[in-house]
Amino acid sequence: RMFAPDSFDYKRGEAQCLLNANQYAEAIALYDELIAENPDESEFWLLQANAYLALDLREETAANLEMARTLGDVTFQNLSLLASLYIQGGATDLGAEVAVSSLDFADSRDASALIRQIEHLSRSGNADQANVIASAFSLKLAPQLELDEGRRFASVRAMIDFRLGLEESGSQRLVSILEEDPLNGEALILLARHYSDKDEFEEAEFYFERALSVEDYQREALVALGQMEVRRGNFKEALDHLREAQELKFESNVQNFLDQVEEAWRSTRRS
């Protein structure tokens, strides 16, 4: 570069070296020059997007990915990242639209990433957007899923159904999973929470107790049981479940909840 500062190939090589050396700000500046000279070269927009992402500059990353998309450089990975950036930034409708578009470039290896995206939307209160992606996913990728992954997707769809008020549909999805896999911890806890939310505590307790026998879901079931007992006003029983959960794995947010329950229990004893 010292002897040929305007050489396109040398600029390109230096920009790549800067990116590989984690000198992201310098790489971004050099890619600005390359893009100014070659605005239709999607490679430079994408490489600069990598540098922006490394610096957690999400809006800039999304803008570059959109430019590459406009130029026709479209892959599942790029669209999936763009969808995630929109969703994390609160533009959930746009994120869902891009996620659906990504399905045109996805295969069965990409299913897990899409299911995580759908689940994140549902858990964060964006069930409508989650349902848009899930419906498209059902048509394009669901038939290719392995058995365990198919059950996981069915659980996520049940969660969406519950959030949309489609209780019968959600329950039936989970019951179907449990008929095939009685120890499916995720389905057991989802169904138990559903009954707990409806104040059908005996049914909820039945499924929570079954979930306790599944090692990977034992702690989650104990915390959920503790939450349910608080709703019922059974603070002592709630404390027993929460303490057992903390013995399995300590979490500060659960401890905060446990402390509040303990204070409530002491207040009832004093009165």
Side-chain angles (χ1 to χ4, degrees):
R1 285 296 305 282
M2 288 175 62
F3 294 104
D6 296 324
S7 167
F8 173 78
D9 287 335
Y10 290 173
K11 282 184 184 179
R12 184 178 195 163
E14 185 182 0
Q16 186 66 61
C17 287
L18 289 168
L19 192 59
N20 293 343
N22 301 335
Q23 297 182 48
Y24 300 117
E26 294 86 347
I28 288 168
L30 196 46
Y31 278 121
D32 277 338
E33 293 184 32
L34 290 165
I35 288 169
E37 295 176 26
N38 297 271
D40 295 332
E41 181 55 69
S42 61
E43 175 192 356
F44 298 144
W45 291 99
L46 290 171
L47 289 169
Q48 190 181 53
N50 291 339
Y52 280 135
L53 186 62
L55 295 176
D56 201 30
L57 298 171
R58 300 186 179 194
E59 290 184 12
E60 290 83 351
T61 305
N64 275 40
L65 291 172
E66 280 289 11
M67 281 302 304
R69 185 184 182 194
T70 301
L71 293 168
D73 196 338
V74 183
T75 65
F76 170 78
Q77 287 73 21
N78 291 344
L79 288 177
S80 180
L81 173 57
L82 182 58
S84 295
L85 290 169
Y86 282 139
I87 290 167
Q88 292 164 14
T92 51
D93 287 337
L94 191 53
E97 177 191 326
V98 175
V100 170
S101 298
S102 76
L103 280 161
D104 291 333
F105 305 90
D107 59 34
S108 58
R109 294 169 296 181
D110 304 312
S112 290
L114 279 159
I115 293 172
R116 283 195 301 271
Q117 212 162 50
I118 296 166
E119 185 175 16
H120 171 75
L121 276 169
S122 181
R123 289 188 184 278
S124 60
N126 298 287
D128 288 325
Q129 293 84 352
N131 193 45
V132 168
I133 308 172
S135 298
F137 184 96
S138 293
L139 295 173
K140 296 189 177 182
L141 275 188
Q144 305 174 36
L145 296 179
E146 298 289 340
L147 189 59
D148 287 346
E149 207 160 44
R151 289 171 179 163
R152 183 184 167 208
F153 178 59
S155 294
V156 173
R157 293 220 74 181
M159 185 192 309
I160 294 169
D161 285 344
F162 289 145
R163 294 186 183 278
L164 293 176
L166 305 172
E167 296 185 4
E168 185 175 345
S169 173
S171 298
Q172 187 53 54
R173 290 185 198 276
L174 296 175
V175 168
S176 296
I177 294 170
L178 293 172
E179 286 174 353
E180 299 175 2
D181 181 13
L183 293 180
N184 188 294
E186 189 169 13
L188 287 168
I189 287 178
L190 278 173
L191 199 53
R193 286 187 183 278
H194 168 62
Y195 283 119
S196 178
D197 290 342
K198 294 174 63 180
D199 291 340
E200 296 181 18
F201 297 121
E202 289 187 9
E203 284 289 328
E205 192 168 4
F206 170 74
Y207 286 107
F208 278 136
E209 291 291 343
R210 285 175 60 180
L212 287 174
S213 65
V214 184
E215 184 176 353
D216 289 344
Y217 289 86
Q218 187 177 9
R219 186 183 185 283
E220 187 176 350
L222 285 166
V223 173
L225 271 167
Q227 292 168 335
M228 185 181 74
E229 293 299 351
V230 168
R231 290 185 62 193
R232 299 170 75 179
N234 299 330
F235 298 122
K236 178 63 170 65
E237 291 81 353
L239 285 171
D240 292 340
H241 293 310
L242 294 170
R243 285 168 179 156
E244 189 175 351
Q246 289 294 78
E247 288 176 6
L248 291 175
K249 181 185 176 183
F250 181 88
E251 286 188 2
S252 57
N253 61 326
V254 174
Q255 186 61 47
N256 291 337
F257 180 57
L258 192 157
D259 292 341
Q260 293 170 6
V261 175
E262 190 164 20
E263 180 58 34
W265 178 57
R266 288 173 177 165
S267 296
T268 59
R269 294 185 70 190
R270 285 196 295 267
S271 60

